[in-house]
Amino acid sequence: MSLYSSVPPGVDLPMHARDLIRMHEAVIGGGRPRVRPRPLVSRSWSRMLSLGLAADGVNTRDSVSFDEVARRRRVSPLRLVVEDLGQVVGATADTANMLLVVTDADGIILWRVGSSAVRRRADTLGFTEGAVWTETRVGTNAIGTALAEAAPVELLAGEHFEQGQHPWYCTASPVHDPRTGELLGVIDVSGPALTLHPAIGALVETGRRLVEAELWRHHQQGLDRLRRTAEPVVTGVGGPVLLVDDDGWVAHSAGVASGARIAAPAEGQILAVPGLGACLPERLAEGWLVRPADTARRVRLDLELGHAPMLRMASGDVGWVRTVTPRHAEILVHLNTAGTAGLSAEALSRALYGDAEHLVTVRAEVSRLRRLLGAIVDTRPYRLATGVALTVHKGLEVSG
């Protein structure tokens, strides 16, 4: 069976859908089903039962206001690619029975595309813009379960926890920012259960790949624009300098090997950049000019562990003090212990969680840490950058 498919090869779809509904009735009623739930479904149903959600009918729907939907659309990077994604789905056959849905990372439906007939059917289920489509609100469903499992999910008929969703299939995949690995949302294709086609999973996967490729293209175009716009200013600057965007991505460097990203600049806040030391960013029209604020180039860090870990940076006579989360403190400790060899995502997952099954979470945590500290933390493998010295002052047990 493929990663997406909820239907075993060669199985009759209508018969299988009926078996899944009987399975739901038996399991929820405490009986022994002829067809047992897939492990994915069993895990999700266990979560639903522990939450006390109702399996018969439809649970109460939560939703945000239209103004909040509009706000979330404006700030979502997915706004750049929704139209292209709709064209991919629209190019397939029999789109009258498909509904394309795009959510944000909170599982809130921001965009919904499909025929008026299938949208009306979805309306009766509360499957509308602004609805919160997480497991905790609507039970086992491809969107919410993809968020919970951090993996693509396809569900058919009785695999949904709510009986009200049994007339549907849904196929979903999480979408991540190709620059940072951060979860951006979920792409979902849904429709009447008996219209499920084996190619739906491939369609959703194609959509995910398109979205992430387009987001990367937009990112590169933004850096190119910044480079062209700031060229006269950068040309006149002597000594080592970086030109970066608002998120710290490097559009141009001179006199320093900076890597692809530093910490996100902010007005009046000193940045620690390996190779440059302490820097005070200067605002340009569409980005930031980053130059050394002190002659010292080495970055010294002191990490004080505790309930509210504190990180101090010093480079020459310049520095800063910031609180970091306990998880970020733990990551810094493990990277410091690993030394120049660093840690792979799998190794860091084992160090933090005891197994290698939390790769998505690890990458997201390191991405957030790099947004705060930038090039102080290197990637591939994860390690402290050359020229960074970290001293850890014990005060908190760090698992490992």
Side-chain angles (χ1 to χ4, degrees):
M1 189 183 299
S2 72
L3 180 64
Y4 279 95
S5 181
S6 60
V7 183
V11 169
D12 178 74
L13 176 60
M15 182 179 297
H16 186 58
R18 287 193 296 271
D19 286 343
L20 293 177
I21 291 173
R22 294 189 187 106
M23 173 194 73
H24 182 278
E25 293 170 349
V27 172
I28 299 302
R32 295 177 60 87
R34 188 176 68 84
V35 175
R36 298 197 61 80
R38 290 182 290 155
L40 169 83
V41 175
S42 291
R43 290 194 300 271
S44 180
W45 284 9
S46 293
R47 293 192 292 266
M48 301 308 95
L49 291 169
S50 68
L51 290 170
L53 265 65
D56 55 337
V58 173
N59 289 278
T60 302
R61 301 300 192 235
D62 287 344
S63 62
V64 301
S65 67
F66 179 78
D67 287 344
E68 177 63 10
V69 170
R71 185 195 70 79
R72 287 174 179 258
R73 285 175 175 173
R74 286 195 300 272
V75 301
S76 173
L78 297 177
R79 73 188 185 282
L80 302 170
V81 293
V82 165
E83 184 175 346
D84 291 335
L85 184 61
Q87 290 176 356
V88 169
V89 175
T92 64
D94 198 23
T95 54
N97 286 320
M98 289 182 187
L99 189 67
L100 169 66
V101 167
V102 180
T103 80
D104 63 9
D106 295 323
I108 296 173
I109 298 176
L110 300 185
W111 292 277
R112 191 181 66 151
V113 179
S115 69
S116 57
V118 73
R119 281 189 285 115
R120 282 195 300 270
R121 291 188 63 175
D123 290 346
T124 64
L125 195 59
F127 197 40
T128 60
E129 290 92 338
V132 182
W133 215 254
T134 59
E135 281 193 337
T136 56
R137 293 294 182 266
V138 301
T140 304
N141 72 93
I143 292 171
T145 305
L147 290 172
E149 296 277 337
V153 171
E154 182 174 87
L155 298 169
L156 173 66
E159 292 185 315
H160 296 91
F161 188 74
E162 289 185 342
Q163 283 184 338
Q165 297 181 47
H166 288 183
W168 291 80
Y169 76 82
C170 50
T171 306
S173 181
V175 179
H176 296 88
D177 190 321
R179 305 171 305 163
T180 65
E182 179 184 3
L183 176 68
L184 298 178
V186 173
I187 297 171
D188 172 85
V189 171
S190 295
L194 298 186
T195 65
L196 175 61
H197 190 278
I200 295 297
L203 174 64
V204 173
E205 176 64 12
T206 298
R208 182 195 64 78
R209 290 176 181 271
L210 168 72
V211 166
E212 294 180 356
E214 282 296 293
L215 289 174
W216 182 255
R217 185 176 66 85
H218 280 285
H219 167 63
Q220 292 297 322
Q221 287 177 337
L223 293 181
D224 289 343
R225 283 194 305 272
L226 174 58
R227 196 176 298 114
R228 290 193 301 269
T229 302
E231 183 178 7
V233 177
V234 174
T235 302
V237 173
V241 65
L242 297 176
L243 175 66
V244 304
D245 68 8
D246 287 338
D247 294 314
W249 291 94
V250 177
H252 173 78
S253 65
V256 61
S258 63
R261 189 184 189 187
I262 65 171
E267 196 73 49
Q269 291 189 9
I270 293 171
L271 295 175
V273 182
L276 290 182
C279 302
L280 191 63
E282 304 165 46
R283 189 61 160 141
L284 300 177
E286 296 183 32
W288 300 83
L289 202 62
V290 179
R291 293 185 285 182
D294 191 276
T295 55
R297 296 292 179 86
R298 189 167 179 80
V299 175
R300 302 191 311 276
L301 299 175
D302 279 277
L303 176 62
E304 292 186 8
L305 299 175
H307 294 298
M310 193 75 67
L311 185 66
R312 290 180 171 83
M313 184 280 293
S315 179
D317 296 327
V318 184
W320 46 248
V321 179
R322 293 176 184 168
T323 57
V324 295
T325 66
R327 179 62 77 198
H328 286 167
E330 192 176 0
I331 291 172
L332 289 171
V333 170
H334 285 303
L335 296 185
N336 192 49
T337 302
T340 56
L343 295 171
S344 65
E346 292 83 356
L348 187 53
S349 177
R350 291 190 187 95
L352 295 174
Y353 301 103
D355 59 49
E357 306 302 317
H358 292 75
L359 299 185
V360 173
T361 304
V362 164
R363 289 175 181 133
E365 287 287 0
V366 174
S367 174
R368 285 188 282 269
L369 181 59
R370 279 174 56 80
R371 181 169 177 80
L372 177 67
L373 302 181
I376 284 176
V377 176
D378 266 345
T379 59
R380 299 181 183 177
Y382 298 135
R383 62 186 174 214
L384 296 178
T386 303
V388 175
L390 173 64
T391 302
V392 179
H393 303 278
K394 300 284 186 178
L396 175 73
E397 277 302 314
V398 176
S399 63

